[in-house]
Amino acid sequence: MPDTSLRDQLGGVFSMRSDQVAFLSRMIDTHGDIVKIRVLGIKMIMLNNPDFFERVLVRNHENYDKNTFLFRAVEPILRGGLIGNVGGEPWRRQRRIMQPSFHRPKVAGFAENMTDETSRMLRRWDREYESGDVVNVSTELGQLAMRIVFRSLFGADVGSRGDAIEEMFLEANQIVGAFFRFPFPPLSWPTRPHRRLNWIIRTMDGFVSDVIRKRVASEEDHGDLLTALMNAVDEETGTGMTPLQLHREVLNIIIGGYETTSNSVAWLIYLIGQHPEVQARLHAEVDSVLGGRVPTFDDVPRLQYTRMIVDETLRLYTPAWQTMRRAIEEDEMGGYRIPAQSDIYLNMFTLHRHPDFWPSPHTFDPERFTPEQIANRPRHAYIPFASGPRNCIGKHFALTELTLILAMIAQAYRVEIPDDRRSVEIEPLITMHPKGGIHTRMARR
Ligand code: HEM
């Protein structure tokens, strides 16, 4: 199997810290779609081909679990919740219990939270900004995504703590993101940022325990995700979650559902602001489908071009851009032997820009997502929500949210990226951030 040279192994220590994505892209350009990466004593096999992704995530998924250094490293944060759960029967049971709470009818019920919160944000923009003001939309959209996930989970119980919790989340993400770029010292070492991270986790725990405790005492059905999860039972055993497991899953849902969507909307705004012709078509679609009214869940399938913009944005700036698996038994891929116990590194950012499947891969072009073009590509060339049994449980929630938010912003505003803000670097933290945020000129339509 192609291997990183000694020079790259040594240089990789610096490169992974300064520009991880460029380093990994270079390894693929040099060696092809399967390559051994070795940096700082960490060994992993990086894959970059739709067939290989399909093998790991779908066809031979039973052979791959999450017992990898990446998930072990974030265990103090995810603590056995669905995202980092190693796999096997404990994961399967949790997923069985939780899956119905994310089915279509449930998501339909959350759509109103999404449109209500977006309307509130737009009304505030109308009050606070003059038409033509330049706004850092990343901050605004972070708040919006947090409010939507909190309101969907806790109904009215979020209260005034939402803003403080959002700030803590951002800070935690910076600390963990820095750790991912350079995983030393371990999170368990009491450095200043790691102590701060622990404090944030304890504060979040306090908040979540508080809400759950009140809920258990009240026994009321609040019609939110928390109630659904509290009442959810495993259809095979008839048992539900313990309060501790529920607590962990709530935190995993916040972690899975906040940053990913907030960054996606920021990139959406950036890309339509850079492409006036796409924005004009978007405006034409939302005007004709919605005629000025607030969209509903049933409008989502009709907002076809809006959805194509969403899909193309998730390709270019795929939020959950990397993950890992461990090969339990030996396997084979592309004629190469994958030894048992290998760490497998899956990078969706490079996969989604693979030149064999994406002509002009770095160009924004929503036309890639017409039904004809989708049919002409291998299915696993595009997997922003992963694939197979461990795909994103919140996929429909997220796609509904992104489509509704984009449609509502487009109904109200024309966005334009000022010349001095057009070049935005990616910041690969846990999710793919726009470095310094997205600044746009917002003109009321
Ligand atoms: C644009 C938005 C989103 C993207 C791109 C995204 C992406 C992903 C990906 C790639 C995975 C698989 C991770 C892996 O295999 O290591 C995943 C898992 C997960 N996501 Fe999302 N996600 C998004 C939104 C959400 C939302 C809104 C929620 C919850 C409301 C959520 C909750 C979860 C959970 C709980 C898992 C773990 C599932 C399991 O292992 O069974 N995500 N997500």
Side-chain angles (χ1 to χ4, degrees), residues 57 66 70-71 81-85 91 95 98 102 149 225 249 252-261 264 314 318-325 346 348 383-387 389-395 397-399 401-402:
L57 299 174
K66 287 199 174 182
L70 186 136
F71 288 104
L82 212 54
I83 300 176
N85 193 305
W91 166 79
R95 180 87 185 207
M98 290 172 65
F102 289 88
V149 78
L225 193 50
E249 297 303 356
N252 274 246
I253 289 169
I254 301 174
I255 292 167
Y258 158 59
E259 275 258 321
T260 45
T261 41
S264 307
L314 295 180
T318 195
W321 61 285
Q322 61 176 356
T323 185
M324 286 187 77
R325 295 290 189 271
L346 304 169
M348 277 80 106
I383 48 163
F385 296 98
S387 184
R390 282 206 87 158
N391 72 346
C392 175
I393 203 170
K395 176 179 170 179
F397 186 110
L399 286 171
E401 179 177 355
L402 296 178

Side-chain angles (χ1 to χ4, degrees), residues 141 260-270 402 405-406 409:
L141 298 168
T260 45
T261 41
S262 113
N263 283 314
S264 307
V265 195
W267 288 117
L268 276 167
I269 301 297
Y270 174 68
L402 296 178
I405 296 176
L406 179 61
I409 293 179

Side-chain angles (χ1 to χ4, degrees), residues 71-133:
F71 288 104
R72 280 195 298 275
V74 289
E75 173 59 19
I77 300 164
L78 298 172
R79 288 174 286 173
L82 212 54
I83 300 176
N85 193 305
V86 168
E89 192 43 36
W91 166 79
R92 248 190 305 278
R93 177 178 184 275
Q94 270 314 107
R95 180 87 185 207
R96 269 197 314 263
I97 296 180
M98 290 172 65
Q99 187 68 62
S101 302
F102 289 88
H103 280 161
R104 213 182 124 82
K106 295 280 184 197
V107 174
F110 300 134
E112 214 175 300
N113 296 337
M114 299 168 187
T115 52
D116 265 11
E117 289 296 336
T118 310
S119 292
R120 269 179 58 185
M121 178 188 77
L122 291 171
R123 280 199 300 274
R124 195 166 45 73
W125 286 7
D126 283 347
R127 282 196 312 274
E128 286 180 11
Y129 302 123
E130 293 295 322
S131 197
D133 274 0

